[in-house]
Amino acid sequence: MTQTRIVIIGAGAAGLIAAAEAAQRAANVVLLEKNTKTGVKILMSGGTRCNMTHDTDAKGILPGYGHASRFLRHSVGAFSPQDVVHMFNRLGVATKVESTGKVFPQSDRAIQVRDALQAQAVEAGVKIQRTQPVIGLSRDDHGWQVKTEHEIFEADRVIVAAGGRSWPGCGTTGDAYRWLETLGHTIVETRPALVPLTGGYGWMNELSGVTLEDCVITATNRTSDGQVTTKHKMIRRSSCLFTHFGFSGPAAMDVSRIVTLDEHRKDLRVTLDLVPDRSAEEIELRLLNTAAKNGRRRVSAVLSDWLPNRLASSIAMEMCNDTTIAELSKSARQKILVGLKSLGLPIHGTRGFNKAEVTAGGVSLDEVDPRTMESRIAQGLFIAGEVLDVDGWIGGYNFQAAFSTGRAAGIAAARAED
């Protein structure tokens, strides 16, 4: 019986697991990587710790992918976050769960994750070819041809797992979009996601280094497609970091998906709830009671009970010139409430693909079978990972999508029949 020849483009999270799954099913697998080493993005992720997945089940993780959650239902259902953890445990990588729900290797070493995936592929018989940047992909009556700068590889099936455009220093420069578009695929406009935001008033930028451990960011944006105007909204509760250029941290980076929908941002509104555990009524009552009991106390002193001192002082100065509680007018109290519960953040843009952890947009999901990751446009072509129009929240969501879609592609490619 002749072995199925599979060429996989991209030795990242999706490509490594796809290669192992296909080779374990007796396929002849060649894995092409443009860099000198595999899994470069894995090695850099999570501050070189690699947040592998999130501590939940398949149903619990799907909402984090927005419009792509329905598409991922089959692949994530077949290879859930628990399955990812079990796989790594089986491969010798002990894991731990942090208070945020993020799953890391117990060693806090991303290289252990990369090495485990690479070893699994090599042990299954995968031939890894490094420094093989692909420059073309085509098909004729005899099969697929994958052209690199150095040679041409023949294949019965091809899996494209070449990544998106985020962190281009890792080699992810969006190369695959051109090949796939040439083959007939629609590429949804790509934009940076999980990326720090730029903007803020001067007094906000002066708070650089201040972290809000628990806050809620709400981003809404209206985008027009012809005659149809659609409202997009995202609410994320997590931590947020004030920076000299704007805002970073999980909450800000999560809503960047909404921020980048419209480059002009004329219909963008981003607000910050600094004290999500306290209602406006509770805060106002506290101010009134303090005025009655200790009216000479400064507003900043009261706010510092809830906020970091520098932030409390800045909010008090901006909203009421940090007057005493007794001197607060009703309108000044309302300004403080707005400042605490719905602080408007002027957003100018993002730090771009160079600082983005993932790419939003990519290959249209309508053109890919969600069970197998096979192209609906070109038979024998499978597409997995970040090159798809899939992006998720911070916290291991994007590696989970890569593992699940990569696994589905590897299994289906090895079993597919022309």
Side-chain angles (χ1 to χ4, degrees):
M1 181 177 176
T2 304
Q3 278 187 302
T4 301
R5 300 169 302 165
I6 299 175
V7 171
I8 300 175
I9 305 172
L16 283 167
I17 197 168
E21 293 289 349
Q24 287 166 4
R25 289 162 176 79
N28 180 354
V29 181
V30 174
L31 177 58
L32 303 179
E33 171 56 47
K34 71 188 295 187
N35 293 305
T36 58
K37 53 188 175 183
T38 64
V40 176
K41 200 167 181 181
I42 294 173
L43 298 175
M44 291 179 61
S45 68
T48 72
R49 295 198 301 146
C50 187
N51 179 192
M52 306 142 67
T53 186
H54 207 78
D55 184 35
T56 183
D57 56 15
K59 184 178 181 181
I61 204 168
L62 286 174
Y65 301 104
H67 76 283
S69 59
R70 182 178 179 86
F71 174 84
L72 291 172
R73 186 174 57 191
H74 298 294
S75 59
V76 172
F79 196 58
S80 68
Q82 298 103 313
D83 295 325
V84 168
V85 170
H86 293 157
M87 176 189 72
F88 279 109
N89 292 166
R90 174 176 54 79
L91 295 175
V93 181
T95 55
K96 63 180 179 180
V97 180
E98 298 194 341
S99 59
T100 56
K102 297 178 179 180
V103 180
F104 287 93
Q106 200 169 75
S107 64
D108 282 331
R109 299 177 69 236
I111 193 170
Q112 190 180 15
V113 174
R114 192 285 307 270
D115 286 354
L117 291 171
Q118 181 174 282
Q120 177 180 231
V122 171
E123 288 169 11
V126 176
K127 304 172 191 70
I128 300 177
Q129 300 251 2
R130 298 170 181 82
T131 61
Q132 288 280 10
V134 173
I135 59 175
L137 177 61
S138 61
R139 182 177 181 175
D140 60 23
D141 293 340
H142 303 291
W144 288 93
Q145 294 82 43
V146 181
K147 184 178 181 181
T148 75
E149 291 182 357
H150 310 295
E151 56 188 296
I152 296 176
F153 294 84
E154 304 282 346
D156 301 305
R157 284 138 211 163
V158 173
I159 300 175
V160 176
R165 296 177 60 196
S166 59
W167 281 352
C170 295
T172 46
T173 50
D175 305 345
Y177 301 132
R178 175 174 50 82
W179 323 322
L180 295 171
E181 197 167 32
T182 299
L183 291 168
H185 274 283
T186 303
I187 307 301
V188 177
E189 183 178 3
T190 57
R191 59 189 199 279
L194 293 192
V195 60
L197 307 178
T198 59
Y201 299 112
W203 66 268
M204 294 177 176
N205 301 144
E206 290 174 4
L207 291 169
S208 181
V210 171
T211 297
L212 269 173
E213 295 296 342
D214 182 27
C215 65
V216 173
I217 290 185
T218 301
T220 56
N221 204 346
R222 295 181 185 273
T223 59
S224 297
D225 180 13
Q227 300 300 313
V228 180
T229 298
T230 304
K231 181 178 180 180
H232 301 268
K233 184 174 184 178
M234 183 181 290
I235 302 173
R236 295 297 291 142
R237 182 169 182 170
S238 189
S239 62
C240 180
L241 171 67
F242 288 85
T243 69
H244 66 281
F245 55 76
F247 312 95
S248 190
M253 292 173 72
D254 275 343
V255 301
S256 64
R257 179 198 293 174
I258 301 298
V259 170
T260 56
L261 279 170
D262 175 14
E263 63 177 334
H264 302 296
R265 285 171 283 279
K266 62 181 185 298
D267 292 313
L268 172 68
R269 176 171 168 77
V270 180
T271 59
L272 179 63
D273 182 346
L274 285 70
V275 283
D277 283 334
R278 299 184 181 277
S279 67
E281 293 76 16
E282 182 183 353
I283 295 168
E284 184 169 30
L285 183 60
R286 172 71 178 278
L287 294 174
L288 291 170
N289 288 340
T290 303
K293 297 177 182 177
N294 190 4
R296 298 171 68 179
R297 197 177 183 197
R298 293 276 173 190
V299 170
S300 59
V302 177
L303 300 190
S304 65
D305 290 342
W306 305 320
L307 302 174
N309 289 336
R310 285 172 60 196
L311 179 56
S313 296
S314 294
I315 290 288
M317 185 60 67
E318 288 298 316
M319 302 303 161
C320 64
N321 204 29
D322 198 14
T323 185
T324 64
I325 294 291
E327 294 174 311
L328 272 183
S329 64
K330 182 176 180 180
S331 62
R333 281 200 311 274
Q334 290 304 308
K335 286 186 68 175
I336 291 171
L337 295 180
V338 170
L340 293 177
K341 297 298 294 180
S342 187
L343 180 65
L345 305 182
I347 302 300
H348 304 150
T350 74
R351 297 294 301 280
F353 281 111
N354 283 341
K355 299 295 182 181
E357 294 191 9
V358 297
T359 304
V363 176
S364 172
L365 302 182
D366 292 338
E367 299 169 357
V368 179
D369 186 323
R371 295 180 183 274
T372 64
M373 300 300 128
E374 185 170 14
S375 165
R376 299 187 192 275
I377 305 294
Q379 187 178 20
L381 174 66
F382 299 78
I383 307 170
E386 193 179 340
V387 71
L388 293 165
D389 180 20
V390 171
D391 66 286
W393 295 337
I394 208 166
Y397 287 75
N398 292 286
F399 273 131
Q400 176 65 50
F403 293 139
S404 295
T405 58
R407 177 180 179 272
I411 293 171
R415 290 179 175 171
E417 295 182 2
D418 290 326

